[in-house]
Amino acid sequence: MKKDIETNNLNRLRILVNSLDYNVEQLDMLSVALNADSKMGLLKSVDLMDNYDQDQLMLDLSDKMKLQSFTQGWNVQIDIYSTLLNKWVGSSQNQSPPPDDLAEGQWILDRSQKLFSMYRKYDQFTVRVTFPKANLENLLDSAKLENNDPFFYYSDSIIIANRSFHTTQVQELVSKMSPKMRDKNEGTELITTGNIDYMVSFLKAETLGWYMVDYVPLDKALQPIVRTQVFFYITCVLLFLSGMVTVIFFYRKVQVPILTLLKGVRHLQKGDFSHRISRTSNAEFTILYHNFNHMAQQIEDLIENVYKEKIISREALVKQLQAQINPHFLYNCLFFINNMNRMGNDEAVNAMTQNLAEYFRYTTRINDPLTTLEKEIGVVRNYLNIQSLRINRLHTQINIPESMMSLLVPKLLIQPLVENSVIHGIEKKQSAVLIHISGTDVGDRYSLVVEDDGSGMQPEEIQSLLHRIEQPLDETMGCALWNIRQRMLIQLGSKASLNIAQSKLGGIRIELIWDNSSQPEE
């Protein structure tokens, strides 16, 4: 019978303590939920606002905190301390900042103010949640029955009791109970004081760290045993069944999907970016699975593209610069300058020097792989001005719409094509004089064309060249066209293309095409 009574009393305390823990946990969640509010995010930059916006934000946050001032029947006070403004937001009268040595996430009783306080620090602000000691006194009042006298106990004989407790009797019980309660979370002890035997039950509230203690005279505790025994067992069975159902439900609906996501994350941590989740679950986790798979696909594509771009860009830039800054071109320009200087043609020397400087300033800056089409055409003009000083018969026509000049394109996209036209077209044919550069914007696609009236190529030679630039780069072929095509595929999308055909002018026509939707961003 004593065992049944002890179990019954502990279950009654457990219900009360669970209710207390639930309410305190809800208060913990208030600080977390408040941090997720969009208004709270503005506190991180409140020092950048003007006075009106600051005052409006303070009012909005104060109203929000007032709405949260009563939770689960408890009186609650929520305050926010802004580090940037060095003041509290809310109805708190405390103007001092939070203590530096505060125990974050722990509830501490301020005996002078009779308040329990808990602090949570975030970036640029601290949230404090407080509730009065009277909340626990109200709980004890509601737990008081005919013969019992519940109270809360903490170390150093700190006691919170109901409003009708017996002070002397409680102090005597605490002095005898405190050694037996050490290192225990719950239990029941028989204590004799004043020639009366008491059954004292205690249970520790995990959230606050306080013990809820209830005592009742032993002779009165035995009276309701018959009446409560059946009810107790029925309650235990129902609680057990509901607990089992809850555990099974949450295990299947929450735990298993979470474990599946964790497994997928571990695969990503190990570098297996091809892993996908094929399991089906409830609507929320199905969305998470879909987003996980989408994220893994994007990461896989990004890593592949970045890896390819680094390798291709490194090799292409080195070979491209070697091809463009070749000694023969530079020596010819220097010899031209020397000859013009001897002849006293200062105008030609100045023109060659200025264009040569602009050309090499542009081509040797390789940090940024993208440039505007206007700048690319500018370096083409510099290059053609240099060549026209050497080749008097060289003429150029550039017809590109103004709407295309601001487009971002890979750096040194057109100049190598123009250089090919000069070296392989104009210089090899004495009657060749013209290089024509044009662009078209048809709304959803862009096109750039470089053509000349040079020596040209046979159709079978063109097909062979197109086939070769689609293969991996080797030492038997030039890198300019291959380099341009690879950079277009990476930076302008997989639908970008490089076409080679015979020009109506008599030479070669090279056309670069890419979609408007794949236009790169700065």
Side-chain angles (χ1 to χ4, degrees), residues 186-231:
E186 64 178 58
T188 301
E189 300 288 344
L190 295 179
I191 305 296
T192 302
T193 179
N195 298 322
I196 300 177
D197 294 330
Y198 291 93
M199 180 179 290
V200 182
S201 302
F202 61 93
L203 184 66
K204 188 176 182 179
E206 296 296 333
T207 53
L208 295 180
W210 286 60
Y211 287 91
M212 186 174 187
V213 183
D214 193 11
Y215 68 96
V216 62
L218 186 60
D219 57 339
K220 294 182 179 180
L222 297 176
Q223 295 176 1
I225 185 62
V226 177
R227 184 178 67 251
T228 59
Q229 187 175 23
V230 175
F231 176 77

Side-chain angles (χ1 to χ4, degrees), residues 253-417:
K253 299 297 184 181
V254 178
Q255 188 67 20
V256 172
I258 289 177
L259 291 176
T260 302
L261 279 174
L262 289 176
K263 181 180 178 181
V265 172
R266 292 191 187 99
H267 278 279
L268 295 184
Q269 289 176 337
K270 294 178 181 178
D272 182 11
F273 299 105
S274 62
H275 178 75
R276 301 292 183 270
I277 297 177
S278 58
R279 179 185 175 86
T280 57
S281 183
N282 54 49
E284 292 78 8
F285 279 101
T286 298
I287 295 174
L288 288 176
Y289 291 164
H290 174 75
N291 290 337
F292 174 89
N293 292 337
H294 182 64
M295 177 191 68
Q297 182 66 47
Q298 287 184 321
I299 293 175
E300 185 178 14
D301 293 342
L302 179 62
I303 290 177
E304 182 179 355
N305 286 339
V306 170
Y307 179 76
K308 287 175 60 179
E309 182 178 3
K310 284 184 177 179
I311 294 177
I312 294 173
S313 295
R314 183 169 60 249
E315 295 178 353
L317 285 173
V318 171
K319 293 185 178 182
Q320 185 184 65
L321 290 174
Q322 289 174 348
Q324 291 164 348
I325 312 176
N326 60 79
H328 296 291
F329 172 66
L330 180 58
Y331 292 161
N332 289 338
C333 293
L334 294 177
F335 282 134
F336 178 86
I337 293 173
N338 185 45
N339 292 333
M340 291 299 103
N341 183 54
R342 289 179 179 180
M343 297 172 62
N345 191 345
D346 294 336
E347 183 178 353
V349 172
N350 290 335
M352 174 63 80
T353 304
Q354 182 177 358
N355 284 283
L356 189 62
E358 292 294 332
Y359 172 80
F360 277 99
R361 181 183 294 114
Y362 181 89
T363 58
T364 54
R365 292 180 180 176
I366 61 174
N367 292 332
D368 189 355
L370 297 176
T371 187
T372 62
L373 185 57
E374 183 177 10
K375 292 181 180 179
E376 182 69 8
I377 294 299
V379 79
V380 169
R381 293 182 189 277
N382 292 135
Y383 176 81
L384 290 172
N385 288 338
I386 293 171
Q387 295 292 3
S388 64
L389 291 172
R390 296 177 50 250
I391 307 172
N392 294 329
R393 69 177 188 277
L394 178 62
H395 296 281
T396 305
Q397 293 180 355
I398 299 178
N399 298 316
I400 296 178
E402 189 64 29
S403 60
M404 295 181 62
M405 286 300 187
S406 60
L407 296 179
L408 288 176
V409 296
K411 202 170 185 180
L412 296 175
L413 182 71
I414 304 175
Q415 188 274 334
L417 302 179

Side-chain angles (χ1 to χ4, degrees), residues 423-445:
I423 296 174
H424 302 294
I426 304 300
E427 289 186 349
K428 290 185 177 182
K429 185 179 179 181
Q430 292 297 323
S431 61
V433 297
L434 179 63
I435 294 178
H436 184 261
I437 304 172
S438 61
T440 56
D441 177 6
V442 294
D444 58 345
R445 291 179 70 83

Side-chain angles (χ1 to χ4, degrees), residues 37 39 414:
D37 188 84
K39 294 289 185 182
I414 304 175

